[in-house]
Amino acid sequence: METKNSPDVTEKAVTQPPGTQIWFTHGESSRDWRQWKLQVDQEATPTQPDAASPNDPLKWPAWRKDAVLLAVGINSFLAAALTPILATGFPEISDEFGVGLQKVSFTIGIYMLGLGVGAVVWCPTATLYGRRPVYLGAAVLLIASSAWAAASPSYASLILARLVQGIAASPGEFLVSVTVSEIYQPQERGFRLGIYMSLIAAGKSLAPLIGAGVIQGVGWRWVMWLSVIASVLCLGFIFVFARETYWARSENPGILTTRNPGEVYTDDLRISPPLRFTQTLCAWNGRLSQTGWLCLAYQPILLFKSLPLLWSAAIYALSLGWLAVLAETISHLFQSVNGYGFTPVQTGLLYISPLLGTLLGSVVGGKVSDIVARVSAYRNNGVYEPESRLIMMLPVVIATAAGFAGYGWGIESHDHWIVPTTCFGLIYFGCILGSTVAVTYCLDCHKSSAIQAQVVFSIIKNSHGLAFSLFVVDWVKAAGPRDTFLIVAGLHLTLLLTTIPMYIYGKLVRARVSQGSLGDVRSDQASGDHVQ
């Protein structure tokens, strides 16, 4: 095989828009499938770690990276599970506090508001002091807020507790994808982000199932007490396994410039022998940025000018936001007299179908997406374009449009419960696949501002969930499930069809964004406060 003698090239060496990278430096590819696949697997080296330092997260052993992913992934699962965990207990909460089902459904909306507020608060903190102290501090707050929710004497107290719960759980939603981007190569991220998204969706699908049994057996308050226990276990995993993943990657290594605290921290690790296990348990490692907290908190606002980011955030927001809408309405649709008359446990068992859809969506959205990206890059003379992943939106369109329409129509017609349940699983499959593709595409386009980009994701997604929580139950009662979910299907399909112009013109848009008004964000991050 003829091979070019050019060295491996990173994105910074390519005069292309952010996200365009050289993944392969090959000449003529083999015609034999097995040899060709071996070339694809071996030649993808888009990001060069620090060759001299075993402490660089990109050079950690696979088991250490996977241990970090496990720890923060459990946090993601718990953060997602707390969103709908009370859904099957809405009638009981309504009777205890003397409020209507629409008001009780706001316990989901206020939690999502907390997730958005938490992203704004924790983002600059993670940039200033690192990822590990944020994970640890938020986990402690989650224990306290879960206990508060369990002991709430009134509806108002429960609402406030759920708001704080959301703030505490926020790092499990927005920070995990950043951690993934710091320890895995780009061609490895799709599969890991698929695992992350599957944990989020599994939390949303398993929580009502678990919560239903607990609520029917010992009451809704015990669901919150079990959340306290789960939060303590989560804190333990984070403390032991979630070591700091920050690493400042200078654009001009070897050139003497004024170093910021993050570069000093990285340089110290660069010349240090491998850290001992006890050293990785340190809660924090000092200040990593010289920029003020308020200035860092403002930076995500600048990213609202980026069309690729806004498009990705909109796909992500609707994909995961609709799952909250389903949780808010499921007790009315399946437990009411006019519905199927299910018990809380029977309603919870409906989530087995979404769980299967979640697992399938995460595999397709992760592993298959990585394969598609590698094949596309290999056929494009070794150059990877983030838009190549958008091909995966085709099954998203089919699954979500059919799922939402069939779900509402089946319930309205009072078809056998297997019909809406199957559509329930289709919805989860499409939404998880779509959100995984959106997150991966965004990280490819905005690697230098990954944390800030995830804040935008969190704000838009949780604003969508909060807005619908204010009226969705009353809307379903007034319009009926068929008309409601046909409208939802139409809204979602309209947004998904914008994938076509993004696929065609995405590279041009990225080029204009890089030449436009986002330079301030990148220049702030270029000094070392960013991930690769």
Side-chain angles (χ1 to χ4, degrees):
M1 181 188 72
E2 178 185 355
T3 306
K4 299 177 182 178
N5 293 323
S6 57
D8 292 326
V9 183
T10 65
E11 182 185 14
K12 289 185 176 59
V14 183
T15 57
Q16 294 284 358
T20 298
Q21 305 168 54
I22 292 181
W23 276 19
F24 307 108
T25 55
H26 69 283
E28 180 182 355
S29 60
S30 172
R31 294 185 178 181
D32 182 81
W33 167 255
R34 287 171 296 183
Q35 294 181 9
W36 180 84
K37 184 178 183 300
L38 185 62
Q39 287 177 243
V40 171
D41 291 338
Q42 291 181 346
E43 294 186 13
T45 54
T47 303
Q48 291 300 307
D50 269 304
S53 177
N55 294 314
D56 184 345
L58 288 177
K59 293 192 67 177
W60 289 350
W63 66 266
R64 181 171 294 164
K65 296 180 181 182
D66 293 340
V68 174
L69 179 60
L70 170 66
V72 298
I74 292 174
N75 196 16
S76 292
F77 176 88
L78 182 58
L82 288 174
T83 304
I85 198 166
L86 294 174
T88 56
F90 282 177
E92 183 179 334
I93 298 173
S94 175
D95 292 339
E96 180 173 340
F97 293 133
V99 296
L101 281 178
Q102 178 62 63
K103 280 193 171 181
V104 176
S105 71
F106 189 58
T107 56
I108 292 180
I110 197 68
Y111 177 83
M112 297 185 74
L113 174 62
L115 291 174
V117 172
V120 175
V121 172
W122 296 117
C123 166
T125 308
T127 304
L128 276 177
Y129 302 108
R131 304 10 167 176
R132 180 172 169 81
V134 167
Y135 282 124
L136 290 172
V140 172
L141 182 60
L142 187 59
I143 295 171
S145 58
S146 297
W148 177 9
S152 293
S154 65
Y155 173 75
S157 177
L158 177 61
I159 288 294
L160 289 176
R162 289 286 284 170
L163 175 64
V164 178
Q165 250 190 335
I167 295 173
S170 182
E173 180 184 75
F174 86 93
L175 194 56
V176 173
S177 59
V178 178
T179 299
V180 169
S181 71
E182 290 178 320
I183 62 179
Y184 291 105
Q185 293 277 9
Q187 75 274 12
E188 301 172 325
R189 291 176 192 161
F191 178 57
R192 273 72 184 190
L193 287 172
I195 293 175
Y196 155 62
M197 295 307 306
S198 70
L199 288 170
I200 287 182
K204 292 179 182 293
S205 57
L206 282 178
L209 176 59
I210 298 171
V214 176
I215 289 169
Q216 185 166 309
V218 291
W220 69 269
R221 292 184 184 275
W222 267 102
V223 171
M224 290 292 99
W225 287 121
L226 289 177
S227 300
V228 174
I229 298 173
S231 300
V232 171
L233 294 175
C234 180
L235 174 61
F237 274 97
I238 290 173
F239 180 76
V240 174
F241 297 113
R243 59 182 297 182
E244 182 57 59
T245 59
Y246 174 89
W247 192 269
R249 302 190 186 279
S250 175
E251 295 186 14
N252 300 297
I255 298 178
L256 293 178
T257 59
T258 302
R259 299 187 303 166
N260 65 31
E263 290 172 323
V264 173
Y265 163 78
T266 302
D267 287 345
D268 289 343
L269 285 181
R270 188 173 285 121
I271 62 176
S272 169
L275 294 181
R276 299 188 303 275
F277 173 72
T278 53
Q279 292 176 299
T280 66
L281 298 180
C282 181
W284 72 301
N285 298 283
R287 194 181 180 102
L288 300 176
S289 174
Q290 57 194 5
T291 310
W293 189 91
L294 289 177
C295 182
L296 291 171
Y298 172 75
Q299 285 184 353
I301 298 176
L302 300 176
L303 292 177
F304 277 90
K305 300 177 182 179
S306 168
L307 181 59
L309 172 62
L310 290 180
W311 178 84
S312 301
I315 296 292
Y316 177 85
L318 262 68
S319 295
L320 295 187
W322 294 135
L323 304 187
V325 168
L326 291 169
E328 289 165 346
T329 58
I330 193 169
S331 62
H332 167 69
L333 294 174
F334 287 93
Q335 291 178 232
S336 65
V337 176
N338 295 327
Y340 286 81
F342 283 1
T343 65
V345 171
Q346 289 174 320
T347 305
L349 289 172
L350 294 174
Y351 274 89
I352 294 177
S353 176
L355 179 60
L356 297 176
T358 293
L359 296 175
L360 182 59
S362 64
V363 171
V364 175
K367 200 66 176 177
V368 177
S369 175
D370 280 345
I371 294 173
V372 169
R374 292 188 188 191
V375 171
S376 299
Y378 203 81
R379 290 179 174 175
N380 191 31
N381 297 319
V383 179
Y384 166 72
E385 301 288 0
E387 286 74 28
S388 63
R389 292 187 186 270
L390 301 187
I391 297 173
M392 301 301 300
M393 297 301 288
L394 179 59
V396 176
V397 171
I398 298 172
T400 52
F404 280 120
Y407 181 76
W409 210 301
I411 295 174
E412 181 89 7
S413 303
H414 221 79
D415 292 336
H416 190 278
W417 59 266
I418 197 66
V419 175
T421 301
T422 302
C423 294
F424 205 4
L426 271 178
I427 293 171
Y428 264 72
F429 166 77
C431 287
I432 295 308
L433 176 55
S435 57
T436 301
V437 173
V439 171
T440 309
Y441 179 73
C442 177
L443 287 177
D444 284 339
C445 297
H446 287 278
K447 290 196 301 180
S448 62
S449 48
I451 295 182
Q452 290 80 6
Q454 294 308 301
V455 172
V456 176
F457 269 51
S458 182
I459 291 174
I460 294 179
K461 189 267 286 186
N462 292 305
S463 296
H464 168 271
L466 173 63
F468 273 84
S469 72
L470 298 175
F471 64 86
V472 66
V473 174
D474 289 341
W475 181 26
V476 171
K477 289 180 179 178
R482 183 190 63 184
D483 291 349
T484 299
F485 287 101
L486 282 178
I487 293 174
V488 168
L491 291 173
H492 199 59
L493 180 60
T494 300
L495 178 62
L496 291 179
L497 290 178
T498 61
T499 305
I500 298 174
M502 185 59 66
Y503 179 80
I504 297 172
Y505 301 109
K507 184 174 181 177
L508 177 61
V509 172
R510 285 186 286 118
R512 291 184 176 178
V513 167
S514 68
Q515 298 167 4
S517 56
L518 296 183
D520 290 340
V521 177
R522 291 196 309 275
S523 63
D524 287 341
Q525 301 301 324
S527 60
D529 304 329
H530 70 281
V531 295
Q532 283 284 16

